[in-house]
C-alpha cells in the first residue's frame, strides 16, 4: 500500500501537473510552428530561391520502381532543413517567453536600512563633545 500512497503523493505534487500541462501545450505549439514554417515561411523562401520546395529536396540512393513494387531509398535533406527552421523558431519563441517571465519576476531593489540609532554611550559622548565645542567657541 505504501507504494500506491507514494505514487498518489507524487502525482498530486504541483510539479508533475505543471510538467504535464507544459508537455500538452508544447505539443500544440509544435504543430503551430510546423504550420507556420511550412505554410508561411517556406513559400516565400521558395519564391526567392526560384520556386524550390525544400521539402522535396532529396538525394536518391536507390530509385524506386512502381511496376516491381520497389520503394525509393533517399536522404530527404529538404525535410531536415524545414525541421532546423522549425527548431530555430521554437527556440527563439521559448527564449522570448523565458526572458519575459524573468523580467516580470525581478525583485524590486531592496531598501537600504536606516542607520542604527546611537547607543547611550555614543549619545553621551556626542553631548560632551557638543558642550566642549560650545565652551571653546564662547571663550
Amino acid at each position: 500500500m505504501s507504494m500506491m500512497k507514494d505514487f498518489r503523493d507524487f502525482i498530486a505534487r504541483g510539479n508533475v501537473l505543471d510538467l504535464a500541462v507544459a508537455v500538452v501545450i508544447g505539443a500544440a505549439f509544435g504543430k503551430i510552428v510546423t504550420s507556420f514554417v511550412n505554410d508561411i515561411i517556406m513559400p516565400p523562401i521558395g519564391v526567392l530561391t526560384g520556386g524550390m520546395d525544400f521539402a522535396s529536396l532529396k538525394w536518391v540512393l536507390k530509385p524506386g520502381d512502381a511496376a516491381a513494387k520497389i520503394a525509393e531509398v533517399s536522404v530527404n535533406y529538404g525535410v531536415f532543413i524545414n525541421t532546423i527552421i522549425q527548431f530555430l523558431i521554437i527556440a527563439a519563441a521559448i527564449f522570448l517567453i523565458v526572458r519575459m517571465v524573468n523580467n516580470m519576476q525581478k525583485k524590486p531593489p531592496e531598501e537600504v536600512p536606516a542607520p542604527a540609532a546611537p547607543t547611550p554611550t555614543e549619545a553621551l559622548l556626542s553631548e560632551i563633545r557638543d558642550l566642549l565645542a560650545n565652551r571653546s567657541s564662547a571663550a
Side-chain angles (χ1 to χ4, degrees), residues 35-85:
S35 174
F36 180 70
V37 169
N38 291 339
D39 302 328
I40 295 175
I41 299 290
M42 294 314 285
I45 290 176
V47 169
L48 292 174
T49 59
M52 183 184 311
D53 179 18
F54 282 98
S56 65
L57 295 177
K58 60 185 172 185
W59 177 36
V60 178
L61 301 174
K62 180 180 172 188
D65 185 7
K69 296 184 180 178
I70 298 174
E72 177 181 79
V73 179
S74 63
V75 176
N76 300 321
Y77 64 90
V79 174
F80 182 69
I81 291 171
N82 280 352
T83 304
I84 289 173
I85 292 171

Side-chain angles (χ1 to χ4, degrees), residues 1 5 13 19 28 35 46 53 68 76 81 94 98 105 109 115 127 129:
M1 274 315 257
K5 181 184 179 299
R13 269 194 223 152
L19 180 61
S35 174
D53 179 18
N76 300 321
I81 291 171
I94 296 298
V98 168
Q105 291 180 347
E127 285 180 40
R129 180 197 64 210

